[in-house]
Every structure is written in structure tokens, then in C-alpha cells.
Amino acid sequence: MGLAPLRPAIYHVLNNRERYGRVVLLYGTRSPDDILFREQLDAWNRLPDFDVHITVDHAGSDWIGKVGVVPALVPTLAFDPEDTVAMVCGPEIMMRFTASALRDAGVDDQSIYLSMERNMKCALGHCGHCQFGSTFVCKDGPVLSFDRLRGLLSLKEF
């Protein structure tokens, strides 16, 4: 479900193309039947300088696309890591491994943004339901750069 929260950012880029270069969308889902916004993905992939890469965890013999996880797509891409901003949304384990793959490819930690949506109750930082180390996602986030999260993502129970 990580694609849904990223759509506004994608629309912003599309509405301001003169300000942005090449866009690469890496989209992972459990199976081909779970692909959301299929028509939009196809339309975006036909645009100049907009590449869509879809991978699924499991597929039948009729699937002709990639099978695997999103982090495994990163090393297959050609991009300039110094001119890259990455926005990552999805399960925390996927975000951790994707951020690490981007980092291994040379993308600066401050250019990798993770959407740390968590179960928020009070939205004021009092209840602690969204606490992530010393960070309260409801107050300090929910989008945080990898340089702030790198150490926390490697800890169990976070």
C-alpha cells in the first residue's frame, strides 16, 4: 500500500516537470492481483523520463514481470546517486532494506526519505504509540530522512 501515500508527490512532479529530471518508480506488491492503480502505472511508464518497475513477491506462470523484492531492483538501475532524492513508503522492513540498497548505490542518507506512518492515538506525542526512539512520528514526522532513522531501523522492536 506504499504507492497510495506517494501519489501526491508523483502528481506534484508531473505537474512541475520542468523542475524535475528523470523519475523512477519502484513498486512492489505481494502478487499481480494486488497491483493498485494499474492503468496509472501503465500511463506513467509511457511518459518520457518516467520509468516504472514493478515486482511481486509471488506469481503464477502467467506473470511475465519481475518476481522479488523492491530493494533488489535498486542495483539494476542506472542513476546518478548525487542527483537522486528517494521517497520510500511501505512496510518498515522493506523501507530499511531499500534505504540500505540506495545507500549502497551512493545515495546520501539525507536524500532518502521514509514515511514512518505508525499507529497514532493522541497525535500530540504524549501517549507514545508512535514513538520511534526519541522521535515521535506524530510530531516529528511522519516523513523522516534516513540519516535520522538509520540507527533506529536496525534495532529490534522498532
Side-chain angles (χ1 to χ4, degrees), residues 1-15 25 36-38 40-41 44 50 87 89:
M1 303 303 252
L3 179 57
L6 289 176
R7 286 175 70 217
I10 294 168
Y11 290 138
H12 175 80
V13 169
L14 290 173
N15 290 329
L25 174 64
L36 299 176
F37 313 112
R38 205 179 279 265
Q40 270 187 327
L41 292 168
W44 290 342
F50 200 121
M87 295 175 279
C89 187

Coordinates of all heavy atoms in Angstrom, one line a residue, residues 1-15 25 36-38 40-41 44 50 87 89:
M1 N 0.8 -1.2 0.0 CA 0.0 0.0 0.0 C 0.9 1.3 0.0 O 0.3 2.3 0.2 CB -0.9 0.0 1.2 CG -1.8 -1.2 1.3 SD -2.8 -1.4 -0.2 CE -4.4 -0.9 0.4
G2 N 2.2 1.1 -0.2 CA 3.0 2.3 -0.2 C 2.8 3.2 -1.3 O 3.2 4.4 -1.2
L3 N 2.3 2.8 -2.4 CA 2.1 3.7 -3.5 C 1.0 4.7 -3.3 O 1.2 5.9 -3.7 CB 1.7 2.8 -4.8 CG 1.4 3.6 -6.1 CD1 2.7 4.5 -6.4 CD2 1.1 2.7 -7.2
A4 N 0.0 4.4 -2.6 CA -1.1 5.4 -2.3 C -0.6 6.7 -1.7 O -0.9 7.8 -2.2 CB -2.2 4.7 -1.5
P5 N 0.2 6.6 -0.6 CA 0.6 7.9 0.0 C 1.6 8.6 -0.9 O 1.8 9.8 -0.7 CB 1.3 7.4 1.3 CG 0.9 6.0 1.6 CD 0.5 5.5 0.2
L6 N 2.3 8.0 -1.8 CA 3.3 8.6 -2.6 C 2.6 9.3 -3.9 O 3.3 10.1 -4.5 CB 4.4 7.7 -3.1 CG 5.3 7.2 -2.0 CD1 6.3 6.2 -2.5 CD2 6.1 8.4 -1.4
R7 N 1.4 9.0 -4.2 CA 0.8 9.6 -5.4 C 0.8 11.1 -5.4 O 1.0 11.7 -6.4 CB -0.6 9.0 -5.5 CG -0.5 7.5 -6.0 CD -1.9 6.9 -6.1 NE -2.7 7.4 -7.2 CZ -4.0 7.6 -7.1 NH1 -4.6 7.3 -6.0 NH2 -4.7 8.1 -8.1
P8 N 0.5 11.8 -4.2 CA 0.5 13.2 -4.3 C 1.9 13.8 -4.7 O 2.0 14.7 -5.4 CB 0.1 13.6 -2.8 CG -0.7 12.5 -2.3 CD -0.1 11.3 -3.0
A9 N 3.0 13.1 -4.2 CA 4.3 13.6 -4.6 C 4.5 13.3 -6.1 O 5.1 14.2 -6.8 CB 5.4 12.8 -3.8
I10 N 4.0 12.2 -6.6 CA 4.2 11.9 -8.0 C 3.4 13.0 -8.8 O 3.9 13.5 -9.8 CB 3.7 10.5 -8.3 CG1 4.6 9.5 -7.7 CG2 3.6 10.2 -9.8 CD1 4.1 8.1 -7.6
Y11 N 2.2 13.3 -8.4 CA 1.4 14.3 -9.1 C 2.1 15.6 -9.1 O 2.0 16.4 -10.1 CB 0.0 14.4 -8.5 CG -0.9 13.2 -8.7 CD1 -1.7 12.7 -7.7 CD2 -1.0 12.6 -10.0 CE1 -2.5 11.7 -7.9 CE2 -1.8 11.5 -10.2 CZ -2.6 11.0 -9.2 OH -3.4 10.0 -9.4
H12 N 2.7 16.0 -8.0 CA 3.4 17.2 -7.9 C 4.6 17.3 -8.9 O 4.7 18.3 -9.6 CB 4.0 17.5 -6.5 CG 4.9 18.7 -6.4 ND1 4.4 19.9 -6.3 CD2 6.2 18.8 -6.4 CE1 5.4 20.8 -6.3 NE2 6.5 20.1 -6.4
V13 N 5.3 16.2 -9.0 CA 6.4 16.1 -10.0 C 5.8 16.2 -11.4 O 6.4 16.9 -12.3 CB 7.2 14.8 -9.8 CG1 8.1 14.6 -11.0 CG2 8.0 14.8 -8.5
L14 N 4.7 15.5 -11.7 CA 4.1 15.5 -13.0 C 3.6 16.9 -13.4 O 3.7 17.4 -14.5 CB 3.0 14.5 -13.1 CG 3.5 13.1 -13.1 CD1 2.2 12.1 -13.0 CD2 4.3 12.7 -14.3
N15 N 3.1 17.6 -12.4 CA 2.6 19.0 -12.6 C 3.7 20.1 -12.7 O 3.4 21.2 -13.0 CB 1.6 19.4 -11.6 CG 0.3 18.6 -11.7 OD1 -0.1 18.2 -12.8 ND2 -0.4 18.3 -10.6
L25 N 10.0 4.9 -10.6 CA 9.1 4.4 -9.6 C 9.3 2.9 -9.4 O 9.2 2.1 -10.4 CB 7.7 4.7 -10.0 CG 6.6 4.0 -9.1 CD1 6.6 4.6 -7.7 CD2 5.2 4.3 -9.7
L36 N -2.1 -2.1 -7.4 CA -3.0 -1.0 -7.4 C -2.7 0.0 -8.5 O -1.6 0.1 -9.0 CB -2.9 -0.2 -6.1 CG -3.2 -1.0 -4.8 CD1 -2.9 -0.1 -3.6 CD2 -4.6 -1.4 -4.8
F37 N -3.7 0.8 -9.0 CA -3.5 1.8 -9.9 C -2.9 1.4 -11.2 O -2.0 2.0 -11.8 CB -2.8 3.0 -9.3 CG -3.2 3.4 -8.0 CD1 -2.5 3.2 -6.8 CD2 -4.5 4.0 -7.8 CE1 -2.9 3.6 -5.6 CE2 -4.9 4.4 -6.5 CZ -4.1 4.1 -5.4
R38 N -3.2 0.2 -11.7 CA -2.6 -0.4 -12.8 C -2.6 0.5 -14.1 O -1.6 0.6 -14.8 CB -3.3 -1.8 -13.1 CG -2.5 -2.8 -13.8 CD -3.3 -4.0 -14.1 NE -3.4 -4.9 -12.9 CZ -2.6 -5.9 -12.7 NH1 -1.6 -6.2 -13.6 NH2 -2.7 -6.7 -11.6
Q40 N -2.9 3.8 -14.2 CA -2.0 4.9 -14.0 C -0.5 4.5 -14.1 O 0.3 5.2 -14.7 CB -2.2 5.5 -12.6 CG -3.2 6.5 -12.5 CD -3.2 7.2 -11.2 OE1 -3.0 6.6 -10.2 NE2 -3.5 8.5 -11.2
L41 N -0.1 3.3 -13.6 CA 1.2 2.9 -13.7 C 1.6 2.7 -15.2 O 2.7 3.1 -15.6 CB 1.4 1.6 -13.0 CG 1.3 1.6 -11.5 CD1 1.2 0.2 -10.9 CD2 2.5 2.4 -10.9
W44 N 2.0 6.3 -16.7 CA 3.2 6.9 -16.2 C 4.4 6.3 -16.9 O 5.3 7.0 -17.3 CB 3.4 6.8 -14.7 CG 2.4 7.6 -13.9 CD1 1.6 8.6 -14.3 CD2 2.1 7.3 -12.5 NE1 0.9 9.1 -13.3 CE2 1.1 8.3 -12.2 CE3 2.5 6.4 -11.6 CZ2 0.6 8.4 -10.9 CZ3 2.0 6.5 -10.3 CH2 1.0 7.5 -10.0
F50 N 10.1 8.8 -17.3 CA 9.3 8.3 -16.2 C 9.3 6.8 -16.3 O 8.7 6.2 -17.2 CB 7.9 8.8 -16.1 CG 7.2 8.7 -14.8 CD1 6.7 9.8 -14.1 CD2 7.0 7.4 -14.2 CE1 6.1 9.7 -12.9 CE2 6.4 7.3 -13.0 CZ 6.0 8.4 -12.3
M87 N 12.0 8.6 -2.2 CA 10.9 8.6 -1.2 C 10.4 7.2 -1.1 O 10.1 6.6 -2.1 CB 9.8 9.5 -1.7 CG 10.2 11.0 -1.7 SD 8.9 12.0 -2.5 CE 9.2 11.8 -4.2
C89 N 8.0 4.3 0.9 CA 6.8 4.1 1.7 C 6.4 2.6 1.7 O 6.4 2.0 0.6 CB 5.7 5.0 1.3 SG 4.3 5.0 2.3

